[in-house]
Coordinates of all heavy atoms in Angstrom, one line a residue:
M1 N -12.6 98.9 -55.1 CA -13.8 98.4 -54.6 C -14.6 97.6 -55.6 O -15.2 98.2 -56.5 CB -14.7 99.4 -53.9 CG -14.2 100.0 -52.7 SD -15.3 101.2 -52.1 CE -15.0 102.6 -53.2
P2 N -14.5 96.3 -55.6 CA -15.1 95.5 -56.7 C -16.7 95.4 -56.5 O -17.2 95.4 -55.4 CB -14.5 94.2 -56.6 CG -14.0 94.0 -55.3 CD -13.7 95.5 -54.8
I3 N -17.3 95.2 -57.5 CA -18.7 94.9 -57.5 C -19.0 93.4 -57.7 O -18.5 92.9 -58.7 CB -19.6 95.7 -58.5 CG1 -19.5 97.2 -58.3 CG2 -21.0 95.2 -58.7 CD1 -20.2 98.0 -59.4
Y4 N -19.6 92.8 -56.9 CA -19.9 91.3 -56.9 C -21.4 91.0 -57.1 O -22.2 91.8 -56.7 CB -19.4 90.5 -55.6 CG -17.9 90.6 -55.5 CD1 -17.4 91.4 -54.5 CD2 -17.0 89.8 -56.3 CE1 -16.0 91.4 -54.3 CE2 -15.7 89.9 -56.2 CZ -15.1 90.7 -55.1 OH -13.8 90.6 -55.0
D5 N -21.7 89.9 -57.8 CA -23.0 89.4 -57.9 C -23.2 88.3 -56.7 O -22.4 87.4 -56.5 CB -23.2 88.7 -59.2 CG -23.1 89.6 -60.4 OD1 -23.5 90.8 -60.2 OD2 -22.8 89.2 -61.4
Y6 N -24.3 88.4 -56.1 CA -24.7 87.6 -55.0 C -26.1 87.1 -55.2 O -26.9 87.7 -55.8 CB -24.7 88.4 -53.6 CG -23.3 88.8 -53.2 CD1 -22.8 90.0 -53.5 CD2 -22.5 87.8 -52.4 CE1 -21.6 90.3 -53.0 CE2 -21.3 88.2 -52.0 CZ -20.8 89.5 -52.3 OH -19.6 89.8 -51.9
S7 N -26.4 85.9 -54.5 CA -27.6 85.4 -54.4 C -27.8 85.0 -52.9 O -26.9 84.4 -52.3 CB -28.0 84.3 -55.3 OG -27.2 83.1 -55.0
C8 N -29.0 85.3 -52.4 CA -29.3 85.0 -51.0 C -29.8 83.6 -50.9 O -30.8 83.3 -51.6 CB -30.3 86.0 -50.4 SG -30.7 85.7 -48.7
R9 N -29.3 82.8 -50.0 CA -29.8 81.4 -49.8 C -31.0 81.4 -49.1 O -31.8 80.5 -49.2 CB -28.7 80.7 -49.1 CG -27.4 80.4 -49.9 CD -26.5 79.4 -49.3 NE -25.3 79.2 -50.1 CZ -24.1 79.6 -49.8 NH1 -23.8 80.3 -48.7 NH2 -23.1 79.3 -50.7
A10 N -31.3 82.4 -48.3 CA -32.5 82.4 -47.4 C -33.8 82.7 -48.3 O -34.8 82.1 -48.3 CB -32.4 83.5 -46.3
C11 N -33.7 83.8 -49.2 CA -35.0 84.3 -49.9 C -34.8 84.1 -51.5 O -35.8 84.3 -52.2 CB -35.3 85.6 -49.5 SG -34.2 87.0 -50.1
G12 N -33.6 83.8 -51.9 CA -33.4 83.6 -53.3 C -33.2 84.9 -54.1 O -33.1 84.9 -55.4
N13 N -33.1 86.0 -53.4 CA -32.9 87.3 -54.1 C -31.5 87.4 -54.7 O -30.6 87.0 -54.1 CB -33.0 88.5 -53.0 CG -32.9 89.8 -53.7 OD1 -33.3 90.0 -54.9 ND2 -32.4 90.8 -53.0
Q14 N -31.5 87.9 -55.9 CA -30.1 88.1 -56.7 C -29.9 89.6 -56.8 O -30.8 90.3 -57.1 CB -30.2 87.4 -58.0 CG -30.3 85.9 -58.0 CD -30.1 85.2 -59.3 OE1 -30.2 85.9 -60.3 NE2 -30.0 83.9 -59.2
F15 N -28.6 90.0 -56.4 CA -28.3 91.4 -56.4 C -26.8 91.5 -56.6 O -26.0 90.6 -56.6 CB -28.8 92.0 -55.1 CG -28.1 91.4 -53.9 CD1 -27.0 92.0 -53.3 CD2 -28.6 90.4 -53.3 CE1 -26.4 91.5 -52.2 CE2 -28.0 89.8 -52.2 CZ -26.9 90.4 -51.6
E16 N -26.4 92.8 -56.9 CA -25.0 93.2 -57.0 C -24.8 94.1 -55.7 O -25.6 94.8 -55.2 CB -24.8 94.0 -58.2 CG -24.9 93.4 -59.6 CD -24.6 94.2 -60.7 OE1 -24.7 95.5 -60.5 OE2 -24.4 93.7 -61.8
A17 N -23.5 93.9 -55.3 CA -23.0 94.7 -54.1 C -21.6 95.2 -54.4 O -20.8 94.5 -54.8 CB -23.2 93.9 -52.8
L18 N -21.4 96.5 -54.0 CA -20.0 97.0 -54.0 C -19.5 96.7 -52.6 O -20.0 97.1 -51.5 CB -20.2 98.6 -54.2 CG -18.9 99.4 -54.1 CD1 -18.1 99.0 -55.3 CD2 -19.1 100.8 -54.3
V19 N -18.4 96.0 -52.7 CA -17.9 95.4 -51.3 C -16.6 96.0 -51.1 O -15.6 95.9 -51.9 CB -17.9 93.9 -51.4 CG1 -17.3 93.4 -50.1 CG2 -19.2 93.3 -51.7
R20 N -16.4 96.6 -49.9 CA -15.1 97.0 -49.3 C -14.5 95.8 -48.6 O -15.2 94.9 -48.2 CB -15.3 98.2 -48.5 CG -15.8 99.4 -49.3 CD -15.9 100.6 -48.4 NE -16.6 101.6 -49.1 CZ -16.7 102.9 -48.8 NH1 -16.4 103.2 -47.5 NH2 -17.3 103.8 -49.6
R21 N -13.3 96.0 -48.2 CA -12.5 94.8 -47.6 C -13.2 94.5 -46.2 O -13.3 93.3 -45.9 CB -11.0 95.2 -47.3 CG -10.3 95.3 -48.6 CD -8.8 95.6 -48.3 NE -8.2 95.9 -49.6 CZ -6.9 96.3 -49.6 NH1 -6.2 96.3 -48.5 NH2 -6.4 96.6 -50.8
E22 N -13.6 95.5 -45.4 CA -14.1 95.3 -44.1 C -15.6 94.9 -44.1 O -16.0 94.4 -43.1 CB -13.8 96.4 -43.2 CG -12.3 96.9 -43.1 CD -11.9 97.8 -44.2 OE1 -12.8 98.5 -44.8 OE2 -10.8 97.7 -44.5
T23 N -16.3 95.3 -45.1 CA -17.8 95.1 -45.0 C -18.1 93.6 -45.4 O -17.5 93.0 -46.2 CB -18.5 96.1 -45.9 OG1 -18.0 95.9 -47.3 CG2 -18.3 97.5 -45.5
V24 N -19.2 93.2 -44.7 CA -19.8 92.0 -45.1 C -21.2 92.3 -45.8 O -22.0 92.9 -45.0 CB -20.0 91.0 -43.8 CG1 -20.7 89.8 -44.1 CG2 -18.7 90.8 -43.1
P25 N -21.4 91.9 -47.0 CA -22.7 92.2 -47.6 C -23.9 91.5 -47.0 O -23.7 90.4 -46.4 CB -22.5 91.8 -49.0 CG -21.4 90.7 -48.9 CD -20.6 91.1 -47.8
V26 N -25.0 92.2 -47.0 CA -26.3 91.5 -46.6 C -27.3 91.7 -47.7 O -27.2 92.6 -48.6 CB -26.8 92.3 -45.3 CG1 -25.8 92.0 -44.2 CG2 -27.1 93.6 -45.4
C27 N -28.3 90.7 -47.8 CA -29.3 90.8 -48.6 C -30.2 92.0 -48.5 O -30.7 92.4 -47.5 CB -30.1 89.7 -48.6 SG -31.6 89.6 -49.7
P28 N -30.4 92.9 -49.5 CA -31.2 94.1 -49.4 C -32.7 93.8 -49.1 O -33.5 94.5 -48.6 CB -31.0 94.9 -50.6 CG -30.5 93.9 -51.7 CD -29.8 92.8 -50.8
K29 N -33.1 92.6 -49.5 CA -34.5 92.2 -49.4 C -34.9 91.7 -47.9 O -35.8 92.1 -47.3 CB -34.9 91.1 -50.4 CG -36.3 90.8 -50.6 CD -36.6 89.9 -51.6 CE -38.0 89.5 -51.7 NZ -38.3 88.5 -52.9
C30 N -34.0 90.7 -47.5 CA -34.3 90.1 -46.1 C -33.2 90.4 -45.1 O -33.4 89.9 -44.0 CB -34.5 88.6 -46.3 SG -33.0 87.7 -46.5
Q31 N -32.2 91.1 -45.4 CA -31.2 91.5 -44.5 C -30.4 90.2 -44.1 O -29.7 90.3 -43.1 CB -31.7 92.2 -43.3 CG -32.4 93.5 -43.7 CD -31.6 94.4 -44.5 OE1 -30.4 94.7 -44.2 NE2 -32.1 95.0 -45.5
G32 N -30.5 89.1 -44.8 CA -29.8 87.9 -44.4 C -28.2 88.0 -44.9 O -28.0 88.7 -45.8
S33 N -27.5 87.2 -44.2 CA -26.1 87.3 -44.6 C -25.5 85.9 -45.1 O -24.3 85.7 -45.3 CB -25.2 87.7 -43.4 OG -25.4 86.7 -42.3
D34 N -26.4 85.0 -45.4 CA -26.0 83.7 -46.0 C -26.2 83.9 -47.5 O -27.1 83.5 -48.1 CB -27.0 82.6 -45.5 CG -26.6 81.2 -45.9 OD1 -25.4 81.1 -46.4 OD2 -27.4 80.3 -45.8
L35 N -25.1 84.3 -48.0 CA -25.0 84.7 -49.4 C -24.0 83.8 -50.3 O -23.1 83.3 -49.7 CB -24.5 86.1 -49.6 CG -25.3 87.2 -48.8 CD1 -24.7 88.6 -49.0 CD2 -26.8 87.2 -49.3
E36 N -24.3 83.7 -51.5 CA -23.4 83.0 -52.4 C -23.0 84.0 -53.5 O -23.7 84.6 -54.1 CB -24.2 81.8 -53.1 CG -23.4 81.1 -54.1 CD -24.2 79.9 -54.7 OE1 -25.3 79.7 -54.3 OE2 -23.6 79.3 -55.6
R37 N -21.6 84.1 -53.6 CA -21.0 85.0 -54.5 C -20.9 84.3 -55.8 O -20.4 83.2 -55.9 CB -19.7 85.5 -54.0 CG -19.1 86.6 -54.8 CD -18.0 87.3 -54.2 NE -16.8 86.5 -54.3 CZ -15.7 86.8 -53.9 NH1 -15.5 88.0 -53.2 NH2 -14.7 85.9 -53.9
H38 N -21.3 84.9 -56.9 CA -21.2 84.4 -58.3 C -20.1 85.0 -59.0 O -19.8 86.1 -58.8 CB -22.5 84.6 -58.9 CG -23.7 84.0 -58.4 ND1 -24.0 82.6 -58.5 CD2 -24.8 84.5 -57.6 CE1 -25.1 82.4 -57.8 NE2 -25.6 83.5 -57.3
F39 N -19.7 84.1 -59.9 CA -18.6 84.6 -60.8 C -19.1 85.7 -61.8 O -20.1 85.5 -62.4 CB -18.0 83.4 -61.6 CG -17.0 83.8 -62.6 CD1 -15.7 84.2 -62.2 CD2 -17.3 83.7 -64.0 CE1 -14.7 84.5 -63.1 CE2 -16.3 84.1 -64.9 CZ -15.1 84.4 -64.5
S40 N -18.4 86.8 -61.9 CA -18.8 87.9 -62.7 C -17.7 88.1 -63.7 O -16.7 88.7 -63.4 CB -19.1 89.2 -62.0 OG -20.1 89.0 -61.1
P41 N -17.8 87.6 -65.0 CA -16.7 87.9 -65.9 C -16.6 89.3 -66.2 O -17.7 90.0 -66.4 CB -17.1 87.0 -67.1 CG -18.5 86.8 -67.0 CD -18.8 86.8 -65.6
P42 N -15.5 89.8 -66.6 CA -15.3 91.3 -67.0 C -15.9 91.4 -68.3 O -16.0 90.5 -69.1 CB -13.8 91.5 -67.0 CG -13.2 90.1 -67.1 CD -14.1 89.2 -66.5
A43 N -16.5 92.6 -68.6 CA -17.0 92.9 -69.8 C -15.8 93.0 -70.9 O -14.8 93.7 -70.6 CB -17.7 94.2 -69.8
V44 N -16.0 92.5 -72.0 CA -15.0 92.5 -73.1 C -15.4 93.6 -74.0 O -16.5 93.7 -74.5 CB -14.9 91.2 -73.8 CG1 -14.0 91.2 -75.0 CG2 -14.6 90.0 -72.8
S45 N -14.5 94.5 -74.4 CA -14.8 95.6 -75.2 C -13.7 95.4 -76.3 O -12.4 95.5 -76.1 CB -14.6 97.0 -74.5 OG -14.8 98.0 -75.3
S46 N -14.2 95.3 -77.5 CA -13.4 95.3 -78.8 C -14.0 96.1 -79.8 O -15.1 96.6 -79.6 CB -13.2 93.8 -79.2 OG -14.4 93.4 -79.7
E47 N -13.4 96.3 -80.9 CA -14.0 96.9 -82.0 C -15.3 96.4 -82.5 O -16.3 97.0 -82.8 CB -13.0 97.0 -83.2 CG -13.5 98.0 -84.3 CD -12.5 98.1 -85.4 OE1 -11.2 98.1 -85.1 OE2 -12.8 98.3 -86.5
T48 N -15.4 95.0 -82.5 CA -16.5 94.4 -82.9 C -17.7 94.6 -81.9 O -18.9 94.9 -82.3 CB -16.3 92.9 -83.0 OG1 -15.3 92.7 -83.9 CG2 -17.5 92.1 -83.5
T49 N -17.4 94.4 -80.6 CA -18.5 94.6 -79.5 C -19.0 96.0 -79.6 O -20.1 96.3 -79.4 CB -18.1 94.1 -78.2 OG1 -16.9 94.8 -77.9 CG2 -17.8 92.7 -78.2
R50 N -18.1 97.0 -79.8 CA -18.5 98.4 -79.7 C -19.3 98.6 -80.9 O -20.3 99.4 -81.0 CB -17.3 99.3 -79.7 CG -16.6 99.4 -78.4 CD -15.5 100.6 -78.4 NE -14.4 100.3 -79.3 CZ -13.3 99.6 -79.0 NH1 -13.2 99.0 -77.9 NH2 -12.4 99.5 -79.9
G51 N -19.0 98.1 -82.1 CA -19.8 98.2 -83.4 C -21.1 97.7 -83.2 O -22.1 98.3 -83.6
L52 N -21.2 96.5 -82.6 CA -22.6 95.9 -82.3 C -23.4 96.7 -81.4 O -24.6 97.0 -81.6 CB -22.4 94.5 -81.8 CG -21.8 93.4 -82.7 CD1 -21.5 92.1 -81.9 CD2 -22.9 93.1 -83.9
A53 N -22.7 97.2 -80.4 CA -23.6 98.0 -79.5 C -24.0 99.4 -80.1 O -25.1 99.8 -79.9 CB -22.6 98.4 -78.2
M54 N -23.1 99.9 -81.0 CA -23.5 101.2 -81.6 C -24.6 101.0 -82.6 O -25.5 101.8 -82.7 CB -22.3 101.8 -82.4 CG -22.5 103.1 -83.0 SD -23.0 104.4 -81.8 CE -21.6 104.6 -80.9
R55 N -24.6 99.9 -83.3 CA -25.7 99.5 -84.3 C -27.0 99.4 -83.5 O -28.0 99.8 -84.0 CB -25.3 98.3 -85.1 CG -24.4 98.7 -86.3 CD -24.3 97.6 -87.3 NE -23.7 96.3 -86.8 CZ -22.4 96.1 -86.7 NH1 -21.5 97.1 -87.1 NH2 -21.9 95.0 -86.2
A56 N -27.0 98.6 -82.5 CA -28.2 98.3 -81.7 C -28.7 99.7 -81.1 O -29.9 99.9 -81.2 CB -27.9 97.3 -80.6
A57 N -27.8 100.6 -80.6 CA -28.3 101.9 -80.1 C -28.8 102.7 -81.2 O -29.9 103.4 -81.1 CB -27.1 102.7 -79.5
N58 N -28.3 102.7 -82.4 CA -28.8 103.5 -83.5 C -30.2 102.9 -83.9 O -31.1 103.9 -84.2 CB -27.8 103.4 -84.7 CG -26.6 104.3 -84.4 OD1 -26.6 105.3 -83.6 ND2 -25.5 104.1 -85.2
K59 N -30.3 101.7 -84.0 CA -31.6 101.1 -84.3 C -32.6 101.5 -83.3 O -33.8 101.8 -83.6 CB -31.4 99.6 -84.4 CG -32.7 98.9 -84.9 CD -32.4 97.4 -85.0 CE -33.7 96.6 -85.4 NZ -33.4 95.2 -85.5
R60 N -32.3 101.4 -82.0 CA -33.2 101.8 -80.9 C -33.6 103.2 -81.1 O -34.8 103.6 -80.9 CB -32.6 101.5 -79.6 CG -33.6 101.8 -78.4 CD -32.7 101.8 -77.1 NE -31.8 102.9 -77.2 CZ -30.5 102.7 -76.8 NH1 -30.0 101.5 -76.5 NH2 -29.7 103.7 -76.9
D61 N -32.6 104.1 -81.3 CA -32.9 105.5 -81.4 C -33.8 105.8 -82.5 O -34.6 106.7 -82.4 CB -31.5 106.3 -81.4 CG -30.8 106.3 -80.1 OD1 -31.4 105.9 -79.1 OD2 -29.6 106.5 -80.1
A62 N -33.5 105.1 -83.6 CA -34.3 105.5 -84.8 C -35.7 105.1 -84.7 O -36.7 105.8 -85.0 CB -33.7 104.7 -86.1
K63 N -36.0 103.9 -84.0 CA -37.3 103.5 -83.7 C -38.0 104.5 -82.8 O -39.2 104.9 -83.0 CB -37.3 102.1 -83.0 CG -38.6 101.5 -82.8 CD -38.6 100.1 -82.2 CE -40.0 99.7 -81.9 NZ -39.8 98.3 -81.2
Q64 N -37.4 104.9 -81.7 CA -37.9 105.8 -80.8 C -38.2 107.1 -81.5 O -39.2 107.9 -81.3 CB -36.9 106.1 -79.6 CG -37.6 106.9 -78.6 CD -36.6 107.0 -77.3 OE1 -35.5 106.7 -77.4 NE2 -37.2 107.5 -76.2
A65 N -37.3 107.6 -82.4 CA -37.6 108.9 -83.1 C -38.8 108.8 -84.0 O -39.5 109.7 -84.0 CB -36.3 109.2 -84.0
A66 N -38.9 107.6 -84.6 CA -40.1 107.4 -85.4 C -41.4 107.4 -84.6 O -42.4 108.0 -85.0 CB -40.0 106.1 -86.2
E67 N -41.4 106.8 -83.4 CA -42.5 106.8 -82.5 C -42.8 108.2 -82.1 O -44.0 108.6 -82.0 CB -42.3 105.9 -81.4 CG -42.3 104.4 -81.8 CD -42.0 103.5 -80.6 OE1 -41.6 104.0 -79.5 OE2 -41.9 102.3 -80.8
N68 N -41.8 109.0 -81.7 CA -42.0 110.3 -81.3 C -42.6 111.3 -82.4 O -43.4 112.1 -82.2 CB -40.7 110.9 -80.8 CG -40.2 110.4 -79.5 OD1 -41.0 109.8 -78.8 ND2 -38.9 110.6 -79.1
N69 N -42.1 111.1 -83.6 CA -42.7 111.8 -84.7 C -44.1 111.4 -85.0 O -44.9 112.3 -85.2 CB -41.8 111.5 -86.1 CG -40.5 112.2 -86.0 OD1 -40.3 113.2 -85.3 ND2 -39.5 111.7 -86.7
Y70 N -44.4 110.1 -84.9 CA -45.8 109.8 -85.1 C -46.7 110.4 -84.1 O -47.8 110.8 -84.3 CB -45.9 108.2 -85.2 CG -47.3 107.7 -85.2 CD1 -48.0 107.7 -86.4 CD2 -48.0 107.3 -84.1 CE1 -49.4 107.2 -86.5 CE2 -49.2 106.8 -84.1 CZ -49.9 106.8 -85.3 OH -51.2 106.4 -85.3
T71 N -46.3 110.2 -82.8 CA -47.0 110.8 -81.7 C -47.2 112.3 -81.9 O -48.3 112.8 -81.7 CB -46.4 110.6 -80.4 OG1 -46.2 109.2 -80.3 CG2 -47.1 111.1 -79.2
Q72 N -46.2 113.1 -82.3 CA -46.3 114.5 -82.5 C -47.4 114.7 -83.6 O -48.1 115.7 -83.5 CB -44.9 115.0 -82.9 CG -45.0 116.7 -83.0 CD -45.3 117.3 -81.7 OE1 -45.0 116.8 -80.6 NE2 -46.0 118.4 -81.9
R73 N -47.2 114.0 -84.7 CA -48.2 114.3 -85.9 C -49.6 114.0 -85.5 O -50.4 114.7 -85.9 CB -47.8 113.4 -87.1 CG -46.6 113.9 -87.9 CD -46.4 113.2 -89.2 NE -46.4 111.7 -89.1 CZ -45.4 110.9 -88.8 NH1 -44.2 111.5 -88.7 NH2 -45.6 109.6 -88.7
E74 N -49.9 113.0 -84.6 CA -51.1 112.7 -84.2 C -51.7 113.7 -83.3 O -52.8 114.1 -83.4 CB -51.2 111.4 -83.5 CG -51.1 110.1 -84.5 CD -52.2 110.0 -85.4 OE1 -53.4 110.1 -85.0 OE2 -51.9 109.9 -86.6
Y75 N -50.8 114.3 -82.4 CA -51.2 115.3 -81.5 C -51.6 116.6 -82.3 O -52.6 117.2 -82.0 CB -50.0 115.6 -80.5 CG -50.4 116.8 -79.7 CD1 -51.1 116.6 -78.5 CD2 -49.9 118.1 -80.0 CE1 -51.4 117.7 -77.7 CE2 -50.2 119.2 -79.2 CZ -50.9 119.0 -78.0 OH -51.2 120.0 -77.3
E76 N -50.7 116.9 -83.3 CA -51.0 118.1 -84.0 C -52.3 117.9 -84.9 O -53.0 119.0 -85.1 CB -49.8 118.4 -85.0 CG -48.6 118.9 -84.2 CD -47.4 119.1 -85.0 OE1 -47.4 118.7 -86.3 OE2 -46.3 119.5 -84.5
K77 N -52.5 116.8 -85.4 CA -53.7 116.5 -86.2 C -55.0 116.7 -85.3 O -56.0 117.2 -85.8 CB -53.7 115.1 -86.8 CG -54.7 114.9 -87.8 CD -54.6 113.5 -88.4 CE -53.5 112.5 -88.1 NZ -53.6 111.2 -88.8
N78 N -54.9 116.2 -84.1 CA -56.1 116.3 -83.3 C -56.3 117.5 -82.4 O -57.3 117.8 -81.8 CB -56.1 115.0 -82.4 CG -56.3 113.8 -83.1 OD1 -57.0 113.7 -84.1 ND2 -55.4 112.8 -82.8
H79 N -55.2 118.4 -82.4 CA -55.3 119.6 -81.5 C -55.1 120.9 -82.3 O -54.4 121.7 -81.8 CB -54.3 119.5 -80.4 CG -54.6 118.4 -79.4 ND1 -54.3 117.0 -79.6 CD2 -55.4 118.4 -78.3 CE1 -54.7 116.3 -78.5 NE2 -55.4 117.1 -77.8
D80 N -55.6 121.1 -83.4 CA -55.5 122.3 -84.2 C -56.5 123.3 -83.8 O -57.6 123.2 -83.3 CB -55.5 122.0 -85.7 CG -54.2 121.6 -86.2 OD1 -53.1 121.8 -85.6 OD2 -54.2 120.9 -87.3

């Protein structure tokens, strides 16, 4: 069961839909069936893309940890 990207010609809504062979997708916003299916290239996974994703995740996690530590210190400073 592939997932396709669609845009509704009636309301302009863009969405993804899991489509079985027998089902005809409809727009979740306006229930219209005049849809345009878009090309969805498969995700490429290589050592380089995994490395980039891991570095981005580590950077995001470090920033979030720093914010959580700051928030905890401020809370402890003001609630003793």
Side-chain angles (χ1 to χ4, degrees):
M1 289 182 285
I3 297 177
Y4 293 109
D5 293 330
Y6 290 96
S7 63
C8 179
R9 290 185 178 114
C11 69
N13 184 31
Q14 294 184 349
F15 62 96
E16 292 180 341
L18 180 67
V19 181
R20 298 181 183 183
R21 291 182 193 181
E22 302 83 28
T23 56
V24 177
V26 296
C27 176
K29 188 174 180 182
C30 72
Q31 303 302 315
S33 60
D34 187 17
L35 306 175
E36 180 180 355
R37 187 167 75 181
H38 297 283
F39 176 70
S40 304
V44 176
S45 181
S46 68
E47 188 173 330
T48 303
T49 57
R50 283 190 300 274
L52 290 171
M54 186 58 72
R55 282 193 293 278
N58 287 340
K59 184 177 178 181
R60 181 194 65 231
D61 292 347
K63 182 179 178 183
Q64 187 175 14
E67 289 174 1
N68 289 344
N69 286 336
Y70 175 78
T71 303
Q72 183 66 31
R73 284 192 308 271
E74 288 297 310
Y75 175 81
E76 290 172 357
K77 191 180 351 177
N78 295 320
H79 292 88
D80 280 339

